[in-house]
Amino acid sequence: MNSTLPGVDRFTDLLPLRNKAGRGIGSFSDHGSWLAVIWGIDSLLEIRDALAEKLHTLQLSSPLHQTISYPDRQEAELLDGTLLRLGFIEDGSILLEITPPENDGTVSAPEIECSLPYRVEPMGGNRHWVLIGPLAPSCPTPPADQFDRNRARWNAIFQKAFDGMENQDNPESQELLARSVTTLLWNLRAPVEDLPHYGVIPSPFYYRGYWAWDSWKHAHALAYFAPELAMEQLRCQFFRQGKDGMVPDTIRPNPMEDNWGNSKPPMAAWALENIWRQTQNSEFVSELYPKCEAQLQWWADARRMPNEALYRAGGTDHLSATWETGWDVSCRFNEVPLVPHGSWHLFDLWQPDINTYILNDLRAMSILAKVIGKDPEPWDRQVEELGAAIKRSLWNEAKGCFCDVRASTGASTSIVCASSWLPLWAGIADEFQKQQVFKLMLSPNYFWTEMPFPALSPTEEKFDPNGFWDGSVWLDHAAYAFQILGEKGLEGRARIRNFLIKAETIFECYSPLDGTPVRGARPAIPQFSCGAASGLEVLRGSPLPSDQSA
């Protein structure tokens, strides 16, 4: 490990809590706390309790003057010269250090108004510590070097993350990697209620729980610098797995709020394979292998019609079936009818992306089977059969890419979108198909836009640069594109990195025309974990598909 790599003190305002217009775009948390803080407008601090779904405030006797945000802490100065340091302790409580102006002689406890339980402790000289949170009145006094301990823990994490990145000396790459790691750890949440594992929420804004679509990608990225947390993320998402193998779309602390109306594309075995590659922990593979196996069996049973090789998305209704694709809302699915299948309804549609994800997971299962002494041949056979079906049924010769196909008629929808290149990522294409898709990916008329790789090609009638999945750039799909293009995509990687650095935080998705966060009818959410995971992956030369050579 290279001790000269930068630590947390190198990165100030990496994730500011408010932008220049005063909008809240960051929410600071640590140690997996379900409390998160933002500097207030009408009060000094706003404290969000995600479990109770309440907003609390804290006020001191002087207004805020200026702030500095670090990955491990927040620092501020009040108008009267008082200095503040804010961090978290292991039980999830907030720790606020208050140092009055130099030589003012103050020794009495500061005047505080707070709607959460708190206690004040003198720390020698003029300093006082304030512990804030439900457990604050009874929790042990933290050690005097708590902030130093937090910094050391964060520095160790940064060192591990930076140690494996490409172009370690590039300042822009360093900043993006640090922002990605910080986003994932600020969004980490500890075991709570009926969820006994750590997990990363998609964002502290509007998300309260865990989404399978995101969790698989979080785990794959966490494996590089925090493998124990990657293991926890998989355990967390699988904790509510049904007896039939289904993993619900979302899980929340209260199981009554889980979404069982649909699932999400399986990528857990792919994440598990990467955890094994980073740790060589075969015991964890043995623990999770049967859960991944059951999930893939559920997909085979619940998401394939009789005598069909290709899988479909489905749900209880049209909206939930769309959610299961991972694309939420898209013109790809607007006019596609549903067909009944047991207790479910499936789209009359075969998709390149869902089938690619499943093939990639099947291939990962073959590799993992060998790790724990099981027969990989059944997985290999499924990989071969599904790959042949994708190449045979989903290739659109006229468009020169893979497209959705109506299952009832075999007719291609001819919609050119981000799923059109995804089979190449998993190695499902011959040389002719690769060259045809490369032409589209590198064409300014299709995907080589100012910020490259929009989810929908600008040549499509429904293209909208602020249209979420109907035209914006999603970093996970852009990351797959970079992996496909290799050296041909280096310029595009640099352009996306530079756009991300200009933004104050990592957003959900971006306009392909100017790289600004999507600001349409459904604005992009800030501090977005899946984008952070993708940013980290790209800077480490991934996300690699399941290793075909293993």
Side-chain angles (χ1 to χ4, degrees), residues 41-211:
I41 294 178
D42 298 323
S43 60
L44 179 70
L45 282 178
E46 296 176 1
I47 306 170
R48 292 181 169 88
D49 183 342
L51 284 179
E53 296 187 277
K54 289 184 178 179
L55 178 65
H56 299 273
T57 59
L58 180 143
Q59 189 64 276
L60 294 179
S61 55
S62 176
L64 193 64
H65 174 51
Q66 60 184 2
T67 65
I68 303 176
S69 177
Y70 292 91
D72 63 316
R73 66 196 185 277
Q74 301 290 310
E75 296 187 358
E77 182 182 1
L78 305 186
L79 281 177
D80 67 1
T82 298
L83 301 179
L84 307 177
R85 279 199 302 178
L86 186 148
F88 283 78
I89 61 176
E90 284 79 353
D91 72 357
S93 297
I94 299 167
L95 180 63
L96 179 64
E97 180 188 68
I98 302 177
T99 304
E102 208 172 329
N103 300 321
D104 78 340
T106 301
V107 293
S108 59
E111 297 180 9
I112 297 173
E113 294 180 9
C114 186
S115 54
L116 270 174
Y118 70 93
R119 84 172 193 262
V120 180
E121 291 190 7
M123 287 301 297
N126 291 352
R127 289 189 308 145
H128 285 84
W129 273 6
V130 184
L131 278 80
I132 308 157
L135 301 178
S138 59
C139 70
T141 300
D145 62 348
Q146 180 66 54
F147 284 99
D148 294 332
R149 295 186 183 199
N150 284 351
R151 184 187 294 109
R153 176 173 55 86
W154 274 84
N155 279 338
I157 291 170
F158 268 38
Q159 287 283 300
K160 190 163 186 178
F162 277 108
D163 196 46
M165 73 177 287
E166 298 179 346
N167 302 318
Q168 287 184 351
D169 297 330
N170 182 287
E172 289 79 16
S173 294
Q174 288 181 352
E175 184 170 346
L176 180 55
L177 185 73
R179 183 177 288 175
S180 297
V181 171
T182 301
T183 299
L184 289 167
L185 295 187
W186 280 15
N187 291 349
L188 180 71
R189 297 296 179 262
V192 67
E193 296 181 5
D194 191 39
L195 286 176
H197 301 291
Y198 282 86
V200 175
I201 59 174
S203 168
F205 299 95
Y206 312 110
Y207 289 96
R208 180 178 171 270
Y210 308 99
W211 271 248

Side-chain angles (χ1 to χ4, degrees), residues 312-322 333 335-341 344-349 406:
R312 312 184 188 196
T316 54
D317 55 22
H318 197 280
L319 180 59
S320 60
T322 304
F333 314 112
E335 306 301 325
V336 180
L338 298 173
V339 295
H341 179 57
W344 298 99
H345 290 84
L346 309 187
F347 275 137
D348 178 26
L349 199 70
R406 291 290 293 272

Side-chain angles (χ1 to χ4, degrees), residues 408-421:
S408 60
T409 65
S412 177
T413 66
S414 297
I415 295 175
V416 180
C417 61
S419 70
S420 297
W421 67 66

Side-chain angles (χ1 to χ4, degrees), residues 254-267:
N254 180 357
M256 299 301 292
E257 298 175 355
D258 294 351
N259 177 24
W260 288 90
N262 57 279
S263 187
K264 278 294 196 294
M267 303 178 74

Side-chain angles (χ1 to χ4, degrees), residues 302-362:
R303 294 298 185 259
R304 280 196 306 190
M305 299 294 283
N307 303 316
E308 288 187 358
L310 294 167
Y311 295 75
R312 312 184 188 196
T316 54
D317 55 22
H318 197 280
L319 180 59
S320 60
T322 304
W323 287 344
E324 187 164 279
T325 68
W327 281 43
D328 292 355
V329 177
S330 170
C331 64
R332 292 173 67 189
F333 314 112
N334 289 348
E335 306 301 325
V336 180
L338 298 173
V339 295
H341 179 57
S343 60
W344 298 99
H345 290 84
L346 309 187
F347 275 137
D348 178 26
L349 199 70
W350 296 325
Q351 299 173 225
D353 42 356
I354 278 184
N355 283 280
T356 295
Y357 294 133
I358 293 173
L359 181 142
N360 193 55
D361 250 31
L362 294 171

